[in-house]
Amino acid sequence: MTARERIMIYVLGGLALGGIGYAAYTMVLKPIRAESAKIADLEEQIADKEGQRFALTLANRRLAEIKPLTLPADKSLAESEYEIMLSHLLRDSKISGGKYVKQTQSFTDPEPELVAGLPGKPGKKAYTKINYSISFDKVNLDKVIDFLERYHRIPLMHQIVSFSIKHSATGDALKQTAEERNDLSVNLVSEAVLLDGGPERRTLFAIPDTFGAALGGVGLHGLRNDTEKARNLTPVPDPAFFALADMKRDYDLLAARDPFHGPLPPYPTPEKPKKDSPKIQGDPPPYDSTPFVYLSSVVRTQEGNKHGAQADIFDRYYGIPYLIEFSQFNELFELKVQRFERDVKTDPKTGEVTVSVKVDRGHPRGDTMEVSDRVGKVIRTFKVYGLNDNALVLGEKDKVGPGKDAPAKGVRPQNGGKAPPVVLPKPDAKMAAVGGLIALKPPRETYYLWEVGQSLKQMRKLSDKEAQAVLAIAAGGLDGEPSPPPPPPISEREVAPPPHVPLT
């Protein structure tokens, strides 16, 4: 083979290999890459669709949660019931002369065509808004704050979209009390939302299924269809409502600073009576603030075998917070009740207001909850037994006459100590000899179930059977395991009389 032939063989072999490589690239490798790119693109689209589906699932779940907060589907019914609610709101805030007027145009959606439409329903809007202009005058800042707090605790999808407040100060406002600064005029616009596809109910507020436990199915159905009776119910916030408004805000400092009239004068510090000072007869009892003492929240925690819970209570009348802490580690259970004091001080030179919160050392330690005023006069005393789900289990002993060593009525024991025991009268020896002694019983205890969102005035009194079941659950601690039924209280046990002793 010559050199020329050898070169030709090499050239032909190279061309053959190149042709085979080109054919493999165009017929095999290139289609594989194209299909791989399509697969990657489809996988990316699938991931995007999965993300959209997950977002829609969360949105639908959120929509299902907030639907009970929307107005009823019947617009005329929603408007009439909302107006009645506004009149009750002004009445409960102790505002006289308040007015509300329906507006035809939305403050936030001035052009109806800009309202979002429903997919698949051309020409139909996702929601409808009803707007009311509310005005009242000759009020102080305390009433304005009370109105706003009550407004934002109503479990409805509504909001204040416009708010203005004016005042005409007269005299030396810095020396006036909160009740005397009643020269404020308020104008606001309230906007409520009615979602398309909202609930077809006959009441303004959604009535939860928990009412069926007390009323039964027939009673619950009747209540949900009786518009007038449902108006008298206290609205129960839905769990979704707590995502719409912060329930733990405290506006007392705003009233203390009063940006319109200047800081309020400090509360006068009550003087302690001297030892030699004569006792004043007929001292008026403290104001009963139980309708204003609310159980704000119950929060549970768990870390391993350690369970914890915290109940926040606030006395809106006296502005006093309470805290009940539960802790359990295996079989060890601890319960602590604390009461706090608010100390408001005003600098006479700068007018700077400082508010400090400290633990009230005069409150009894342990499981006793003592409701009292700012001075320390006791209103009611309860014993905290534990938790039943998210409700507190309380006990209160019936009132009995004070004994020889018992404290005076309405006076708290000093240094946080416990009140002395009630001294019962001694029996007559002659009556005991003839068997005439009647067994003396300690005061009977009444049990209550206090749920979140209720005041002490609204808590439910338990029957004997309900109390036995609830106390068994509360005795189980924080893990929810009920304990064996406790023995009946001493007041319910049968005490045998002493044997008859014949006279000799």
Side-chain angles (χ1 to χ4, degrees):
M1 182 181 295
T2 62
R4 181 182 178 186
E5 291 175 346
R6 191 179 296 110
I7 293 173
M8 290 296 294
I9 291 173
Y10 290 155
V11 171
L12 292 175
L15 292 175
L17 291 175
I20 294 172
Y22 178 76
Y25 173 77
T26 56
M27 298 177 63
V28 180
L29 186 59
K30 189 176 181 179
I32 291 177
R33 288 183 176 178
E35 292 298 326
S36 299
K38 289 182 180 179
I39 292 173
D41 184 50
L42 291 175
E43 289 179 349
E44 185 176 356
Q45 293 181 16
I46 291 173
D48 292 340
K49 296 294 183 182
E50 287 291 335
Q52 295 176 8
R53 186 186 66 82
F54 182 71
L56 289 175
T57 301
L58 293 180
N60 290 333
R61 188 182 305 169
R62 178 64 175 157
L63 181 62
E65 290 176 350
I66 66 176
K67 269 190 176 182
L69 304 179
T70 183
L71 298 179
D74 189 344
K75 187 177 180 182
S76 60
L77 175 66
E79 291 176 350
S80 62
E81 290 300 307
Y82 194 80
E83 292 177 0
I84 295 174
M85 183 275 297
L86 290 178
S87 65
H88 290 179
L89 181 61
L90 293 171
R91 178 200 62 192
D92 296 339
S93 303
K94 297 181 176 58
I95 296 176
S96 59
K99 302 177 182 178
Y100 52 89
V101 180
K102 181 184 174 184
Q103 290 187 333
T104 57
Q105 188 176 10
S106 173
F107 188 89
T108 54
D109 296 330
E111 300 179 11
E113 61 271 10
L114 298 180
V115 178
L118 290 175
K121 297 181 180 180
K124 197 166 186 179
K125 304 304 178 183
Y127 58 84
T128 304
K129 291 184 178 180
I130 60 174
N131 305 271
Y132 284 88
S133 175
I134 307 170
S135 61
F136 47 89
D137 53 8
K138 295 183 180 181
V139 296
N140 55 18
L141 193 59
D142 283 343
K143 289 187 177 181
V144 177
I145 293 175
D146 187 28
F147 175 85
L148 294 177
E149 286 184 339
R150 292 177 184 274
Y151 177 91
H152 287 104
R153 282 179 170 82
I154 294 175
L156 288 176
M157 292 182 63
H158 67 164
Q159 62 178 345
I160 295 176
V161 295
S162 174
F163 182 85
S164 65
I165 182 170
K166 299 179 181 179
H167 82 105
S168 56
T170 57
D172 193 355
L174 290 176
K175 295 182 180 180
Q176 292 177 342
T177 62
E179 291 76 13
E180 295 172 339
R181 304 181 177 192
N182 54 354
D183 55 359
L184 299 179
S185 300
V186 179
N187 292 278
L188 57 93
V189 176
S190 176
E191 190 174 72
V193 176
L194 194 159
L195 292 176
D196 181 75
E200 296 283 349
R201 62 173 184 259
R202 302 296 303 170
T203 59
L204 180 63
F205 305 114
I207 300 177
D209 296 336
T210 53
F211 278 82
L215 302 176
V218 178
L220 180 62
H221 177 76
L223 183 61
R224 286 176 171 173
N225 287 275
D226 196 328
T227 307
E228 295 183 359
K229 289 183 179 179
R231 293 173 189 161
N232 300 322
L233 295 177
T234 302
V236 180
D238 190 88
F241 170 70
F242 293 93
L244 302 178
D246 188 358
M247 299 291 289
K248 295 184 178 180
R249 293 182 181 178
D250 187 3
Y251 295 96
D252 290 343
L253 186 59
L254 179 62
R257 292 181 181 273
D258 197 344
F260 300 98
H261 304 92
L264 282 172
Y267 291 112
T269 304
E271 297 182 359
K272 295 182 178 180
K274 298 180 180 179
K275 294 182 179 179
D276 300 334
S277 60
K279 296 182 180 180
I280 301 176
Q281 300 294 334
D283 189 17
Y287 179 78
D288 185 10
S289 63
T290 52
F292 308 97
V293 181
Y294 281 83
L295 177 59
S296 303
S297 63
V298 175
V299 180
R300 290 174 176 263
T301 59
Q302 181 178 356
E303 183 179 352
N305 293 333
K306 186 177 181 180
H307 299 260
Q310 175 178 312
D312 293 311
I313 302 167
F314 188 71
D315 188 338
R316 300 179 183 177
Y317 185 83
Y318 290 114
I320 299 174
Y322 296 80
L323 177 65
I324 303 178
E325 294 180 327
F326 305 87
S327 61
Q328 181 177 0
F329 184 75
N330 293 333
E331 299 298 329
L332 299 177
F333 181 79
E334 184 180 2
L335 189 155
K336 181 171 65 174
V337 182
Q338 289 182 319
R339 180 183 185 269
F340 296 87
E341 294 178 326
R342 297 172 59 86
D343 187 14
V344 182
K345 297 181 179 179
T346 305
D347 192 338
K349 296 182 179 180
T350 62
E352 182 69 20
V353 179
T354 56
V355 180
S356 60
V357 179
K358 59 182 180 179
V359 178
D360 183 5
R361 299 299 180 185
H363 188 275
R365 298 177 178 86
D367 56 1
T368 301
M369 177 182 169
E370 196 176 76
V371 181
S372 57
D373 61 2
R374 291 193 184 98
V375 185
K377 292 184 178 180
V378 181
I379 301 171
R380 292 178 71 178
T381 303
F382 299 92
K383 179 179 179 181
V384 182
Y385 282 93
L387 289 172
N388 184 2
D389 196 10
N390 285 334
L392 286 175
V393 182
L394 304 180
E396 183 181 25
K397 291 186 177 180
D398 294 344
K399 295 181 180 179
V400 296
K404 180 180 178 182
D405 299 327
K409 182 179 180 181
V411 178
R412 172 187 294 171
Q414 298 297 323
N415 302 324
K418 295 185 178 179
V422 177
V423 179
L424 298 175
K426 294 182 179 180
D428 189 356
K430 295 181 179 180
M431 295 299 294
V434 298
L437 174 64
I438 300 177
L440 296 174
K441 298 182 180 180
R444 178 182 172 87
E445 193 166 9
T446 306
Y447 300 98
Y448 300 92
L449 196 64
W450 191 14
E451 299 182 358
V452 175
Q454 291 183 338
S455 67
L456 278 174
K457 201 73 173 180
Q458 297 170 329
M459 62 182 180
R460 185 165 66 91
K461 181 180 178 181
L462 300 176
S463 63
D464 293 341
K465 291 184 178 180
E466 290 177 331
Q468 188 174 5
V470 169
L471 289 174
I473 296 176
L478 301 178
D479 54 2
E481 295 294 334
S483 299
I490 300 177
S491 59
E492 298 181 4
R493 300 178 189 173
E494 295 183 358
V495 181
H500 176 69
V501 180
L503 294 174
T504 58

